Amino acid sequence: MSERPPTARTPTERYTTGMDTRRRVLGDAHVDRAEACKSDFDAPFQTLITEGAWGTVWASDAISPRERSMLTLALLAATGNFEEIPMHIRATARTGASQSDVIEAFQHVAIYAGVPRANHAIRLAKETYAEMEAEA
């Protein structure tokens, strides 16, 4: 199921692929919530990330979804973009990245980008895994 971008134009193949990939990785409930919050103001941005991030990068089969999850989590932590870490921890349930994979990625962050960033990412991961377990 693919939503139409909030413009007068027809959805591109990349947009359609992006929505399908986004749903596969993040789950329908997450995407439905995000779509419900979309407004005319941020619709162009949402189309950009759907086509670029989800329709191009995440849709590529050059590396596995598991590897892409690990890279994404490491990059988010290394650059201090902590807000999206819980969302991507939740996505590991669908991408196949294990808790062991995630801690390995964050250990790389500690060595190459700094212990405080890795420590914060690990705390967020632990909290999110606990929430996921409680929800199961």
Side-chain angles (χ1 to χ4, degrees), residues 6 38-52 84:
K38 185 167 52 178
S39 70
D40 289 342
F41 176 73
D42 68 339
F45 174 76
Q46 293 298 321
T47 298
L48 172 72
I49 62 173
T50 298
E51 291 176 344
E84 290 200 355

Side-chain angles (χ1 to χ4, degrees), residues 9 23 29 49 58 83 87 114 123:
R9 66 185 177 97
R23 286 185 178 284
I49 62 173
W58 274 90
E83 186 174 308
M87 175 181 72
R123 182 180 59 76

Side-chain angles (χ1 to χ4, degrees), residues 1-3 11-28 31 35 46-60:
M1 168 160 126
S2 297
E3 289 82 352
T12 64
E13 182 178 337
R14 195 172 312 272
Y15 183 89
T16 302
T17 299
M19 284 304 282
D20 292 344
T21 303
R22 189 176 171 202
R23 286 185 178 284
R24 189 171 53 256
V25 172
L26 300 177
D28 288 332
V31 175
E35 287 294 296
Q46 293 298 321
T47 298
L48 172 72
I49 62 173
T50 298
E51 291 176 344
W54 298 107
T56 302
V57 174
W58 274 90
S60 169

Side-chain angles (χ1 to χ4, degrees), residues 57-113:
V57 174
W58 274 90
S60 169
D61 61 2
I63 61 174
S64 71
R66 173 186 162 264
E67 293 165 317
R68 204 168 297 285
S69 269
M70 293 166 64
L71 283 168
T72 300
L73 285 162
L75 286 165
L76 288 170
T79 57
N81 291 299
F82 299 111
E83 186 174 308
E84 290 200 355
I85 286 178
M87 175 181 72
H88 282 281
I89 290 293
R90 288 181 177 280
T92 63
R94 286 174 288 284
T95 65
S98 68
Q99 289 186 22
S100 178
D101 292 332
V102 170
I103 197 66
E104 289 294 327
F106 289 154
Q107 287 182 114
H108 270 69
V109 170
I111 298 303
Y112 292 100

Side-chain angles (χ1 to χ4, degrees), residues 4-11 43-44 47:
R4 184 176 182 160
T7 65
R9 66 185 177 97
T10 304
T47 298

